[in-house]
Amino acid sequence: LSISVYHNLFSNGYWAKQGSSSYYSLRLTGGAVSLTRRLKWPDDYFIISHSLAYKHYLLDNYSYLAGDLFTTGSANDVSYGLTLSRNSVDSPIYPRNGSEFSIAGYFTPPYSTLGGKDYSSATAQEKYRWVEYYKVNLRGSWMMNLVGDVVLNTRFRFGWMGYYDKNIGLSPFGRYYLGGDGLTTWTINGNEVIPLRGYENNSLNPSDGGAVFDRFTVEIRQPIVESASATFYVLGFLEGGNCWGDIKEFQPFQMYSSAGVGVRIFMPMLGQFGIDWGYGFNGTRGGSHFHFSIGQSID
């Protein structure tokens, strides 16, 4: 059982005075309750989690939301989440065998359907006073010990965000952004950032954020040092993915691709961190890029 409460403020108040035309801010206050338990069936590796979350957004001249759809006003997000996962990897630091898989769904009540209101001419405040959406996120990872200590890791991720009323459309909160390492992107507005090495941050999605994405990764790993004080390994990777503004545009194998090499270092006092060099083969924002990672942020 987990309970959380939080309050965040993002603004340019250091440079601009509140109330002036150049001032902007986004305040987020929220909380969540989740209950997680291990299942006995189909086997002991399965875990199920239920969550109930509330977020209250307060925007003041904030023009960094998707497409400037909503710049001033308040929004409420009440969502239920259900996650089913399975984890059978044999080590959290340098796994050689096993797999990880999860499917997660997040749903808000369909307020527009329940109320019967016509939103075709509604203002942004009326549309987003109660945010509505549904999301499905999938991810999987498989480890295979090829020979000696060499490990093959294959991974995939997929996400889809939909809406109930076409007159309201996609929520400006919680969209997908693909590309780069994900560490330099600020996500207080609920956006989900998906790294893809070899490209600039957020360069592979529509300018307003995406409604659906996929990403595929193949890595070969070789440990250099494995001890109680530190673990160090090198890797080579092939990666590909894309992001679309609507599920109707989704073409799973129309991908931006990249390849590269990297290193990972794990130390008990510091955790895991790493650096990768990737080369993106498609588009003007590809080419040679270095990416830093902390923990599992690049996954």
Side-chain angles (χ1 to χ4, degrees):
L1 175 65
S2 301
I3 300 174
S4 64
V5 178
Y6 51 86
H7 176 74
N8 297 307
L9 167 63
F10 178 79
S11 77
N12 65 340
Y14 184 82
W15 298 276
K17 184 178 180 181
Q18 187 171 3
S20 66
S21 59
S22 59
Y23 175 82
Y24 62 82
S25 68
L26 172 60
R27 299 172 188 267
L28 170 61
T29 303
V33 177
S34 64
L35 180 63
T36 303
R37 61 172 297 181
R38 186 174 297 276
L39 301 178
K40 298 293 185 179
W41 185 88
D43 58 40
D44 292 344
Y45 295 122
F46 278 87
I47 294 174
I48 190 168
S49 176
H50 304 267
S51 66
L52 185 63
Y54 171 72
K55 299 176 183 178
H56 176 74
Y57 298 95
L58 185 61
L59 295 81
D60 183 359
N61 197 33
Y62 185 76
S63 59
Y64 294 92
L65 214 54
D68 292 345
L69 294 174
F70 187 34
T71 59
T72 300
S74 63
N76 300 278
D77 181 343
V78 179
S79 64
Y80 165 72
L82 176 63
T83 302
L84 180 65
S85 61
R86 185 182 188 274
N87 186 338
S88 64
V89 297
D90 57 1
S91 169
I93 300 174
Y94 188 78
R96 288 171 167 80
N97 289 289
S99 63
E100 296 180 80
F101 178 81
S102 71
I103 177 170
Y106 305 93
F107 313 91
T108 67
Y111 304 106
S112 58
T113 303
L114 298 174
K117 180 178 178 179
D118 182 4
Y119 285 88
S120 58
S121 59
T123 64
Q125 175 63 86
E126 292 174 325
K127 289 181 179 180
Y128 306 122
R129 184 180 303 279
W130 292 97
V131 179
E132 57 179 46
Y133 59 84
Y134 53 88
K135 299 180 76 171
V136 178
N137 291 338
L138 299 173
R139 63 190 307 162
S141 176
W142 291 266
M143 303 289 179
M144 180 183 297
N145 198 171
L146 296 179
V147 59
D149 292 323
V150 178
V151 173
L152 171 67
N153 175 220
T154 56
R155 305 194 299 270
F156 83 92
R157 290 185 63 179
F158 168 82
W160 172 35
M161 182 181 189
Y163 52 85
Y164 301 110
D165 190 324
K166 65 179 181 180
N167 292 318
I168 296 178
L170 199 65
S171 166
F173 304 97
R175 298 188 182 188
Y176 299 111
Y177 290 80
L178 178 69
D181 52 34
L183 288 180
T184 60
T185 304
W186 173 75
T187 59
I188 191 176
N189 52 17
N191 295 335
E192 293 195 43
V193 179
I194 301 91
L196 199 157
R197 291 164 286 187
Y199 295 90
E200 297 178 13
N201 286 323
N202 302 344
S203 62
L204 305 181
N205 47 263
S207 59
D208 299 339
V212 59
F213 81 92
D214 64 4
R215 194 199 68 183
F216 303 90
T217 303
V218 177
E219 281 187 0
I220 296 289
R221 301 175 177 180
Q222 169 65 53
I224 305 300
V225 175
E226 285 189 278
S227 68
S229 60
T231 298
F232 172 75
Y233 66 88
V234 296
L235 61 88
F237 68 86
L238 297 173
E239 203 158 57
N242 206 341
C243 188
W244 298 266
D246 192 281
I247 189 64
K248 296 177 181 178
E249 304 169 358
F250 179 53
Q251 299 184 49
F253 301 109
Q254 183 187 61
M255 295 184 292
Y256 293 91
S257 57
S258 65
V261 295
V263 298
R264 295 291 184 273
I265 301 173
F266 176 85
M267 302 178 68
M269 295 295 292
L270 300 175
Q272 180 174 285
F273 54 95
I275 182 171
D276 296 76
W277 172 82
Y279 188 88
F281 299 109
N282 312 100
T284 58
R285 297 192 177 185
S288 177
H289 293 276
F290 284 93
H291 306 286
F292 295 92
S293 61
I294 298 174
Q296 303 297 321
S297 62
I298 209 82
D299 293 339

